[in-house]
Structure formats: structure tokens, C-alpha cells
Amino acid sequence: MPTPLELWVDECAKFTKPDKVHWCDGSDAENQQLTKEMLRAGTLYALNQQAYPNCYLHRSDPTDVARTEHLTFVCTKQKEDAGPNNNWMEPKDAKAKLGALFNGAMRGRTMYVAPYILGPVNSPYSKVGVELTDSPYVAVNMRIMTRMGKAALNRLGGSNDFVKGLHSLGDLSPERRYIAHFPEEELIWSIGSGYGGNALLAKKCHALRIASWKARKEGWLAEHMLVLGIEEPSGRTTYIAAAFPSACGKTNLAMLIPPASQKGYKVWTVGEDIAWMHIGDDGRLYAINPEAGFFGVAPGTNSRTNPNVMATLNRNSIFTNVALTHNKTPYWEGMDGSPPHEAIDWQGKPWTPHSLTKAAHPNSRFTTPARQCPTMSPEWENPKGVPISAILFGGRRANLIPLVYQAFNWQHGVFLGATMASETTAAATGAVGVVRNDPMAMLPFCGYHMGDYFAHWLNVGKKLKHPPEIFRVNWFRMDNQGKYLWPGFGENLRVLRWVIGRVHGEVTADQTAIGHLPKPSSLDITGLDVSPDTLRELLAVDKAGWLKAVEGQKALFTGFGDRVPKAMWQESLALKARLEAGAKAPSHA
Ligand code: SAT
Ligand code: MN
């Protein structure tokens, strides 16, 4: 008897008509074989194997370099279930439209069957998925990003309990590009793109959009969050989950190296992009990292901003759309040292520092195995996950949002996440630097109605005996000259120390209309080029600015319609009242 997986693979192969079907076992030998074939086909270039052993460069189609949100759909039977935050197609229509493109799309190509596990191999919270793809580049990336191959087939056995992902490069035309999710069937169809979030279906498509849908049904959370542990000189380790939009520094924060001034602290990385969080028997929230690798933004990465990832990505890694030096080493803007006198840019064209274009694409990426990261936590594959004591929501905001503040309670914290906004980045196509609402950094990734998502967060809070404390953070405040007010990177540990102090009830705070703010004296800024005035500015509550923000919140909630829980409206009204009264907030401290 064929298994459900075999039947589905057969059905997809009959439809897309590949010349060959290859079942990936995830072995080294297989990886070498696929790499060899891509080198021969010219879709991979070998980097300098002395300096970068087993590292390769891939250049994607120049029209296919970032997620394309306007071509991403959630296809639920009822339009309302996808919500105003998602593009929607009727499942039947989507299948007809995309089906016409998939029909025969793999002719002349091999279909790779890539079974994978999201989460530690033996965790009860992990899930199996299978991606069928005609891109060997996707197959080798999936091997880095997930536990791909035999282990997944073993876990699956003859079961039908797996997320099905069908992917084809199609003709790579943006006119014929669609990323469609069918959460009711746990099915993903993606055609016309070879780029990360559009094509590595385990990542945003499965681990966030489909998983968030499932998580709501099953009572857990699938979030766009890094997870880290901070070990204090006393030996106590506290785990924090933090949501930031794409390209806002999650990878850097997750593997922060304490600066010399912060003696005795250690940061342990559990994950740097996605967290799956379940309610434990003890009433605490536990997080696992569903991924096994990092798909990080290259530009700006160097041995000051993220020495750990620099020590991770120098072997067994794939670079996408970075530039190439004459030594065959990768180069991107903001790398260590001065730029090379000449290079080959991300499109394969000659480049010099005098060129008016960037050498690397602003959304160029590295794919690198998590296990190579020097700060990976000993707990990162704990099947139970790690207990989360604090959740941070952070955007990229030049003004208004203070460096850090704490919610009064869970409901207020959900409101802080729901009303997060951030300046757009190169991780998605479209304008860069425009402030847009991005609730919980999940706007592009929530697989269902945002109003229902807020309600789900509130429900999870009710079930937690010991809910994490919730904070907003903003490393990106600027002065009038556009200079950052806060040094960021490793120095963010000083803010995390305040967060830990609050979690354990060891530091007092100022109660303000927007939340609990640090007393300037309780943030350690010794040795920093941050004047007391600057610190005051970083921690100020701009009443007029906040009253304007409240108006924006109304528009946000109105836009999401009547599924937005009343509690969110009440929080907005209460914030306005507190701002107007200039009164102290109710204390749950
Ligand atoms: O392309 S991905 O979605 O994987 C990266 C990102 O935009 O966060
Ligand atoms: Mn991301």
C-alpha cells in the first residue's frame, strides 16, 4: 500500500511532469552531488574553498530578490477567515489559476522531494512537512534551514499528518508568480520565485502562516520571534522572546556578544527568526526554534555588529546576491575592512567603490547552519523548549517610541504588540523607510484574520499561570540630523538587563501613561557616548505625539474590522484617557 506521502508525490509528479523524481535523504553525499550539478549548470559559484570551505554563491533573477507580499495569498473557504491583513482567493479559483501554471511546469527538470522536521527531532511540538521543488538551490537551502531527509521520513512513517508544499520556479516571471496558502488543507502552492521566503516553504509559509493557523486551533503561538537566554554573572539564565519585522536586527540581537563593560554576562542563542511557544504543565510559556539554520541579511553584518554570525557563516554556507571579490570571497556593504578596489556585483557585473550602485543587493542573504554558531544554547534542541520570562516587541522607529518600556499586564502587552509599527525594509519589495503598522511583526506572516489573532493572544494569556512580562523596545531613535541616539548592537544588553531586573522584581520603574519606563538611573550607561540629556530623550513620553498615535491606532483597528477584540479598543481608550489626564496608570507592578 502506498503511503499518503507517496500518493501525493505521485499525483504532483503526474501534474507537473518532471523528467525525474529525487527523494532527498539529507546526506552529505547527496548535498555534494546537488552542488556539483549546480556548479555545472552555472547556478552556483564556488567561493574560495580555503577561506570559505564548502561555501557557494547563488545569484537570483534580478526581479526575484525579496518576498512579494502582493503576490502572497491565504486561500480560506471564507474570505473573512483570511482577514483584511491577507490577500485572498477562493481555494477553487486559486487552484485553477495556479494549476494552469503548474501543469507541466517541471518538464525537463527534476522534482526534489524534501521531507523536513520543524523543531527538534524528538520534540512533541515539532511538525513534519514535505516540499516538492524543481529548484536544487531550494533543496540544498532546506537542508541547512531544517532537519531535512531521513529523520523526517522516519518521524512521518505512513502518516498523513504533514504540511504539503509544492514549489516550482515556473518561468520566474513576476506576472506568473503566486505564493498561495490553503490552511484548511495544510497545503502551500508557490510558483514563479526562487527567493527565500517565497520558495523555502518551511520558513514563512509553513513555520508562520500555516503554523499560526494550526496554533490558534491547538492553543499555542507561532511567532516571528528570536529566542535568547541571558546568563548573568550569578549563573541565573533568563529566556526572552523578541518580535521584530524582517531586517530589523533579530539575528544580531539573538547572538549578541556582551561588550567588555558587561563583565560576566553571556548570551545564548535559541533561535533568530521564528518561535513556536506552548503552555507548559507549570503554566509557563515554553519556546522551541522550529528551524535549524539562519537565513540572515548580509549587508551591515561584520565583526562589530555580529561577530558570532561572522564565525558561523565562513563554512558550509550559501550566499545569495552578495558581491564577489577577485579572491572569490563574498563581499557586501558594511563588511569588515575597506571595500575591495573591484568586485563582481550581485548581478554578475563589474563593480568598483566608485560605482553608483550597491555591490551586494540590500536584501542579500546567507544561509548557514545554526549548530555552527558559537553561542548556540545548550538548550536549543531541548524537546520541551525553554521557559520564556519576557516578550519584546520592537520596530524601527526614528521617533516617539522610547528605548524600552513595560506593559502593565498581559492584555496591555498584547495591545503594545498589536499597535507596533515599523519602517519598511528591503526584505520585501516596495518602498523602504515608510512607517507601517506591523502588529507583533506578523503582518506579512499571520495566516488568518488579525482580529482573531489578537483574540488568540488574549486567550493564551488567560491560560498562563505565569505569563511572561511584555515590553516594547526601539533601538532606532534618531536626532534631527539622522544620527542614532542609542549605540545598539552589543550595548542593547544594558536594556535587556533592565528587562531581566523587571521580570525578577529587582528594579523599580516610573509609571507613565504608556507603561513602566526605566528610571534613568536604573539603566547602566557607564562608558557609553550617551549623555544624560540623550538618555532623557530616549525615555521621554511625548504626549502630543502619543495622542496622534492613538488616532492611528483607531484607524488600524477599524481597518481590521469587528473581529478586533473589545479589549484592544478599551486599551486604546484607556491610553488616551491617561495621556489626557496626565495621571498615573494603574499599577500591576
Ligand atoms: O525571505 S524571508 O521571509 O525568509 C526573510 C524575511 O523577510 O524575514
Ligand atoms: Mn524573518
Side-chain angles (χ1 to χ4, degrees):
M1 263 277 280
T3 62
L5 171 60
E6 285 163 347
L7 287 174
W8 175 65
V9 171
D10 230 38
E11 183 196 326
C12 292
K14 284 208 178 90
F15 186 42
T16 57
K17 304 185 179 64
D19 285 5
K20 263 197 326 209
V21 177
H22 173 93
W23 287 69
C24 296
D25 62 13
S27 66
D28 270 343
E30 174 184 81
N31 188 53
Q32 279 167 23
Q33 183 58 31
L34 291 184
T35 302
K36 222 161 70 198
E37 286 168 21
M38 281 186 280
L39 289 169
R40 208 177 307 131
T43 49
L44 271 195
Y45 304 83
L47 294 180
N48 182 321
Q49 294 294 302
Q50 267 82 51
Y52 286 86
N54 201 24
C55 288
Y56 300 90
L57 165 68
H58 171 77
R59 295 192 187 108
S60 73
D61 186 282
T63 64
D64 187 29
V65 292
R67 278 182 296 101
T68 40
E69 293 177 4
H70 60 294
L71 304 174
T72 302
F73 291 80
V74 170
C75 308
T76 44
K77 285 190 207 119
Q78 303 295 321
K79 181 172 187 194
E80 260 294 282
D81 290 340
N85 45 301
N86 283 302
N87 301 311
W88 178 82
M89 265 191 274
E90 162 112 350
K92 259 203 316 291
D93 293 349
K95 286 191 181 159
K97 193 168 199 162
L98 275 70
L101 301 174
F102 270 114
N103 193 348
M106 297 195 187
R107 244 186 221 115
R109 303 177 186 170
T110 299
M111 174 195 271
Y112 299 93
V113 180
Y116 60 87
I117 303 175
L118 288 179
V121 173
N122 56 353
S123 169
Y125 305 129
S126 299
K127 306 271 182 200
V128 172
V130 181
E131 176 165 358
L132 310 183
T133 176
D134 55 11
S135 161
Y137 164 81
V138 166
V140 294
N141 272 280
M142 287 284 287
R143 180 173 178 267
I144 299 176
M145 293 306 298
T146 68
R147 286 103 176 151
M148 188 266 263
K150 267 212 185 86
L153 287 182
N154 290 345
R155 185 170 167 131
L156 183 62
S159 160
N160 193 25
D161 184 13
F162 64 100
V163 171
K164 301 172 176 71
L166 176 62
H167 169 254
S168 171
L169 295 171
D171 63 5
L172 288 178
S173 160
E175 265 86 68
R176 285 175 289 282
R177 179 177 301 159
Y178 295 96
I179 299 99
H181 306 70
F182 305 88
E184 285 137 338
E185 300 169 61
E186 300 194 5
L187 174 69
I188 306 154
W189 278 11
S190 165
I191 188 157
S193 169
Y195 169 75
N198 294 340
L200 308 177
L201 301 187
K203 198 171 175 57
K204 302 296 159 83
C205 300
H206 178 169
L208 286 177
R209 295 194 192 96
I210 300 286
S212 62
W213 174 284
K214 249 173 115 76
R216 174 167 172 249
K217 269 204 319 211
E218 296 170 3
W220 51 283
L221 295 168
E223 300 298 326
H224 194 203
M225 289 180 179
L226 66 92
V227 177
L228 57 76
I230 300 182
E231 185 178 333
E232 294 168 271
S234 66
R236 178 176 71 185
T237 300
T238 306
Y239 293 94
I240 298 176
F244 293 79
S246 302
C248 288
K250 277 196 300 299
T251 306
N252 295 344
L253 184 64
M255 43 198 85
L256 177 157
I257 292 200
S261 64
Q262 307 294 302
K263 263 215 183 68
Y265 285 86
K266 260 196 222 140
V267 170
W268 296 108
T269 310
V270 177
E272 53 79 75
D273 193 41
I274 298 175
W276 285 359
M277 302 192 286
H278 289 76
I279 302 170
D281 296 337
D282 58 0
R284 299 187 70 185
L285 195 59
Y286 283 81
I288 60 164
N289 172 8
E291 301 189 282
F294 312 142
F295 183 62
V297 179
T301 304
N302 59 51
S303 53
R304 184 183 65 88
T305 58
N306 195 338
N308 272 313
V309 93
M310 292 302 284
T312 308
L313 54 67
N314 58 14
R315 58 206 188 279
N316 310 315
S317 301
I318 299 168
F319 295 84
T320 302
N321 295 334
V322 300
L324 188 65
T325 70
H326 71 278
N327 288 328
K328 293 208 160 42
T329 58
Y331 171 74
W332 51 78
E333 276 72 17
M335 210 179 185
D336 295 289
S338 39
H341 296 304
E342 50 180 29
I344 309 290
D345 77 3
W346 67 276
Q347 297 194 62
K349 299 185 185 134
W351 179 93
T352 76
H354 304 293
S355 301
L356 297 174
T357 52
K358 302 254 190 229
H361 187 276
N363 191 41
S364 53
R365 299 265 172 170
F366 49 80
T367 320
T368 193
R371 61 171 191 280
Q372 292 182 183
C373 176
T375 50
M376 268 342 256
S377 160
E379 297 294 308
W380 89 280
E381 295 198 282
N382 185 333
K384 242 180 87 181
V386 295
I388 298 298
S389 297
I391 291 175
L392 316 185
F393 292 113
R396 185 184 281 274
R397 292 292 297 275
N399 34 52
L400 190 68
I401 311 296
L403 179 61
V404 59
Y405 63 101
Q406 182 188 9
F408 299 124
N409 52 45
W410 182 268
Q411 176 175 305
H412 183 230
V414 173
F415 171 73
L416 295 192
T419 52
M420 193 167 89
S422 187
E423 291 151 27
T424 50
T425 69
T429 53
V432 167
V434 182
V435 176
R436 75 162 180 183
N437 291 308
D438 190 353
M440 277 91 165
M442 281 288 278
L443 184 70
F445 307 121
C446 181
Y448 61 100
H449 195 298
M450 197 52 92
D452 293 340
Y453 173 71
F454 298 156
H456 178 51
W457 263 83
L458 293 171
N459 281 337
V460 168
K462 286 188 193 121
K463 292 194 201 124
L464 285 167
K465 229 184 302 148
H466 307 287
E469 293 292 327
I470 300 181
F471 299 79
R472 279 288 301 266
V473 297
N474 179 21
W475 322 132
F476 300 95
R477 281 288 290 276
M478 283 180 176
D479 66 13
N480 305 337
Q481 270 82 54
K483 189 174 157 274
Y484 286 112
L485 293 178
W486 178 252
F489 303 107
E491 306 297 354
N492 290 335
L493 179 59
R494 300 173 191 249
V495 176
L496 301 184
R497 279 178 55 198
W498 185 78
V499 165
I500 293 175
R502 290 297 293 167
V503 161
H504 297 293
E506 294 162 355
V507 47
T508 56
D510 282 335
Q511 245 178 246
T512 76
I514 63 167
H516 294 296
L517 269 129
K519 294 180 187 301
S521 60
S522 56
L523 270 187
D524 169 18
I525 55 162
T526 43
L528 284 191
D529 185 19
V530 173
S531 69
D533 274 354
T534 301
L535 187 61
R536 257 193 298 277
E537 198 179 336
L538 281 164
L539 298 176
V541 179
D542 162 13
K543 178 172 161 182
W546 277 101
L547 282 169
K548 229 167 101 194
V550 167
E551 293 310 307
Q553 291 165 4
K554 281 190 202 154
L556 168 78
F557 291 155
T558 305
F560 288 141
D562 55 14
R563 292 205 193 182
V564 170
K566 278 203 188 67
M568 292 295 97
W569 282 102
Q570 283 160 2
E571 286 295 338
S572 184
L573 288 172
L575 168 61
K576 186 170 182 206
R578 289 193 302 265
L579 286 162
E580 281 170 344
K584 299 270 180 190
S587 176
H588 301 262

